[in-house]
């Protein structure tokens, strides 16, 4: 059988860091550290599997409800990781992007994000899109606010107009959304863009997720039939 094309855009809800730490009697921070370190091998595996765009959910608009020390640990880890990974992205030809309500993050972190994006902006090989302080509902509200400010006649609003005002305006919708740690919910992730994504959940905790797990998810994706609302016999490509 001919090789099926890989999904173009994979989005991952990286969940289970705390459970991973608890299983090992380690402090929470170690779980988050291990979680952050799991991103690079998965991003590199995307290259090998032909996945061009990887979006990872790093921090939700609801995650501020966590204990302050946990939030602080996460923010520090993000800063360190961006600084460290930017050169890897330059070398791999990957554009690093960030999406979410970034203006609510510390000015130091925002500056690091800005610099990382600037250093990698010209890269066209692949995209690593990191969702930080991201909420799908907030994204839609922000899009509508932006249109209202621009004087768009909202009584004539169309889908394409909304899509063009989302944080992900110049990215295709994800084909495959993976959630680790066994939960079966979106937790406010890419609500608009997920409309026709295939959803895959694995019990593997995020720090343990690696290339073999990603390959397995892609394999399952390739065996799915995406109908987009049409009749099955009208669907020409599997996994598309
Ligand atoms: C995901 O791991 C990381 C973030 C949400 C920031 P969790 O911290 O949610 O880990 P569990 O789900 O409690 O195990
Ligand atoms: C979703 O995980 C957010 C991220 C992975 C960043 P949560 O652990 O916050 O989600 P819930 O609370 O289980 O829905
Ligand atoms: Mg969780």
């Amino acid at each position: 059988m001919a090789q099926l094309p890989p999904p173009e855009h994979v989005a991952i809800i990286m969940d289970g860091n705390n459970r991973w730490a608890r299983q090992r009697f380690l402090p929470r921070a170690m779980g988050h550290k291990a979680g952050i370190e799991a991103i690079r091998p998965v991003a590199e595996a995307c290259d090998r599997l032909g996945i061009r765009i990887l979006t990872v959910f790093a921090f939700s608009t609801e995650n501020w409800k966590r204990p302050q020390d946990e939030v602080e640990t996460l923010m520090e880890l993000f800063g360190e990781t961006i600084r460290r990974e930017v050169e890897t992205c330059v070398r791999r030809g990957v554009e690093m992007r960030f999406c979410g309500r970034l203006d609510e993050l510390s000015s130091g972190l925002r500056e690091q994000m800005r610099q990382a994006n600037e250093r990698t902006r010209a890269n066209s090989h692949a995209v690593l899109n990191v969702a930080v302080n991201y909420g799908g509902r907030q994204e839609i509200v922000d899009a509508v606010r932006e249109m209202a400010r621009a004087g768009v006649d909202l009584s004539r609003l169309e889908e394409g107009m909304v899509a063009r005002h989302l944080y992900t305006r110049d990215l295709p919708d994800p084909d495959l959304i993976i959630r680790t740690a066994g939960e079966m919910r979106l937790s406010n992730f890419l609500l608009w863009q997920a409309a026709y994504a295939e959803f895959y959940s694995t019990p593997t905790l995020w720090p343990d997720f690696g290339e073999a797990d990603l390959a397995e998810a892609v394999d399952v994706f390739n065996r799915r039939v995406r109908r987009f609302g049409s009749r099955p016999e009208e669907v020409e490509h599997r996994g598309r």
Side-chain angles (χ1 to χ4, degrees):
M1 197 173 77
Q3 183 90 32
L4 289 162
E8 183 182 17
H9 182 178
V10 172
I12 307 183
I13 303 171
M14 308 184 290
D15 198 17
N17 294 351
N18 271 302
R19 274 166 276 183
W20 184 91
R22 218 175 307 129
Q23 277 179 0
R24 288 163 179 72
F25 305 101
L26 291 170
R28 264 197 215 124
M30 295 300 284
H32 291 311
K33 193 163 183 296
I36 293 249
E37 280 165 6
I39 300 175
R40 194 206 290 187
V42 169
E44 288 174 353
C46 283
D47 271 357
R48 287 187 285 276
L49 292 166
I51 297 160
R52 197 173 68 81
I53 305 159
L54 173 65
T55 295
V56 290
F57 199 6
F59 192 89
S60 77
T61 45
E62 290 72 37
N63 287 147
W64 297 106
K65 293 179 204 158
R66 297 197 177 194
Q68 199 187 336
D69 65 322
E70 184 176 357
V71 171
E72 278 168 15
T73 301
L74 280 163
M75 294 298 155
E76 277 166 26
L77 277 170
F78 295 153
E80 277 169 34
T81 311
I82 293 167
R83 261 197 310 278
R84 201 180 55 230
E85 293 300 317
V86 68
E87 293 313 316
T88 318
C89 285
V90 168
R91 205 172 53 245
R92 287 177 45 230
V94 175
E95 180 185 356
M96 220 192 228
R97 295 190 188 195
F98 302 89
C99 67
R101 285 198 171 159
L102 306 182
D103 55 341
E104 292 171 0
L105 299 170
S106 75
S107 57
L109 187 55
R110 271 191 340 253
E111 179 55 19
Q112 272 164 7
M113 291 173 165
R114 196 193 60 74
Q115 283 181 18
N117 180 250
E118 203 170 274
R119 287 272 290 133
T120 59
R121 179 173 282 160
N123 292 346
S124 52
H125 176 67
V127 177
L128 173 62
N129 182 34
V130 187
V132 188
N133 194 22
Y134 174 88
R137 289 185 171 180
Q138 290 80 352
E139 179 182 32
I140 295 167
V141 168
D142 287 351
V144 176
R145 281 185 189 163
E146 200 177 292
M147 286 185 283
R149 273 197 296 269
V152 170
D153 177 358
L154 294 178
S155 68
R156 294 179 175 273
L157 194 61
E158 283 171 14
E159 271 182 32
M161 292 156 70
V162 178
R164 281 193 295 280
H165 286 85
L166 298 174
Y167 310 143
T168 56
R169 64 198 75 184
D170 48 0
L171 295 177
D173 286 345
D175 303 291
L176 171 64
I177 296 182
I178 298 172
R179 182 161 188 152
T180 59
E183 312 298 349
M184 299 282 184
R185 53 178 172 266
L186 283 173
S187 299
N188 205 11
F189 188 47
L190 300 179
L191 297 183
W192 177 282
Q193 300 88 334
Y196 269 101
E198 293 295 323
F199 188 76
Y200 175 86
S201 175
T202 170
T204 303
L205 305 177
W206 172 250
D208 291 328
F209 189 93
E211 178 157 7
D213 303 278
L214 181 64
E216 167 68 20
V218 169
D219 203 45
V220 169
F221 169 84
N222 280 331
R223 280 185 267 122
R224 303 252 182 101
V225 178
R226 297 176 83 185
R227 284 189 277 276
F228 300 99
S230 64
R231 285 179 198 278
E233 62 269 25
E234 287 162 2
V235 178
E236 284 177 26
H237 304 289
R238 291 202 302 160
R240 286 278 102 189

